[in-house]
Amino acid sequence: MLSKNEREQIIALINREVVPAIGCTEPVAVALCTAKATETLGRHPERIDVFLSANILKNAMGVGIPGTDMIGLPIAIALGAVVGKSEYGLEVLKDSCPEAVAESRKMVDANVIHIELKDDIEEKLYIEVVCRSGDDRVTAVISGGHTNFVYVDKNGEVLLDKRSSGSAETDADEVELNLRKVFDFATTSPLEEIRFILEAKRLNKQAAERSFDGNYGHELGKTLRSSHSERSILGNNTFTHILSYTSAACDARMAGAMIPVMSNSGSGNQGIAATLPVVVYAEDNHKSEEQLIRALILSHLTAIYIKQNLGKLSALCGCVVAATGSSCGITYLMGGGYEQVADAVQNMIANLTGMICDGAKPSCALKLTSGVSTAVFSAILAMEGKCVTSVEGIIENDVDLSIRNLTKIGSKGMNETDKMVLDIMTHKHCD
């Protein structure tokens, strides 16, 4: 068992990275930054200038904003100014109501909001909001994490400045992880210390079930659950239950439903993919609450570990990361030990590396479904003693080195891909 001090560090890390969020976390983070700037200004701004890194812009262009039936950044920014509360973090818009939406629409129509690409920075997660009213001017900056404020000033008076250290995507004092440590923490920690992860089950399962009752996005989850698709094509089994629950929760949040989900590493979709496959497998196979808790911790902490090396935002689809976590959790629930869990990770990396992120949008449900279906296949193979070898592609004998290879491709090798994706997205012709 890990030492109490090390367990406490890891628990603190999980509590920082696994938090509730309403709506897609990129436009919501921009709304959060706007809310902070507006609060500091002390009144509603007459003009809002927003400067964003390319990855934030990419992930905020095509996603629904909670409670608005609208897509994209302008309405999110306006809502942040009208009704947002920075103390709510990634639930900044939870007080939204029809009156606030109507007022925000007026702001958008009045051309108060101006959005630009901040192209002179290396940081992939960067949000700068400048709010003006009369002679007053406030600047707020989030960098390195979706809720990480690094700078605030009002009329030239600096109220907060953590830019020299705050823009790093990982804290200097953050606990160093490897897959063995992740596994040991998940499987040996006292249960009362990690029981809190069941809140992820409650929120994300609730989101899926509300989605089944509505009409959200491409309705992939609902379609997979229908009698024709599920029974006649895929069968009515644990595999299709995993796919339908995971994609349904994504359908709802990408369409802008006012439904909270438990996120992972700043992404609601990653939180969904790290949670629901594990929950559904455990419930369908009558696993104990303790087994579920440990599997969920294993899934979420694996995703956090990979994201430590990859960064909050990258050209690599986060479904790859989160589904790798859920594959570990499912393997554990199948009775696998560390070796089988490591094999499941190797199988995932061999399969899904290179899946691009082309922004947050309703069709993310399709990518989540691809990721979690591969998670199930990888777990099954691992439990049968089947694992890709080090002569294949980017796989190494050491699973942690394979993870590094994955994250190097996502954070460095795919940078040109990221630029091309953004260029296509900003220049395509839509009807």
Side-chain angles (χ1 to χ4, degrees), residues 94-115:
K94 70 178 180 180
D95 288 345
S96 183
C97 60
E99 293 76 18
V101 173
E103 186 177 347
S104 299
R105 286 176 185 266
K106 289 178 183 177
M107 285 184 70
V108 173
D109 293 340
N111 201 30
V112 168
I113 298 161
H114 305 269
I115 303 166

Side-chain angles (χ1 to χ4, degrees), residues 145-157:
H146 290 77
T147 61
N148 187 38
F149 284 97
V150 298
Y151 185 81
V152 180
D153 84 43
K154 182 175 183 180
N155 297 329
E157 179 188 355

Side-chain angles (χ1 to χ4, degrees), residues 188-218:
T188 66
S189 292
L191 204 60
E192 62 272 14
E193 292 182 5
I194 56 176
R195 186 179 295 276
F196 64 87
I197 201 66
L198 288 176
E199 182 66 3
K201 168 195 169 181
R202 186 187 72 82
L203 282 183
N204 292 352
K205 189 176 179 187
Q206 176 181 280
E209 289 172 346
R210 284 184 61 182
S211 183
F212 291 140
D213 293 332
N215 299 288
Y216 297 105
H218 298 299

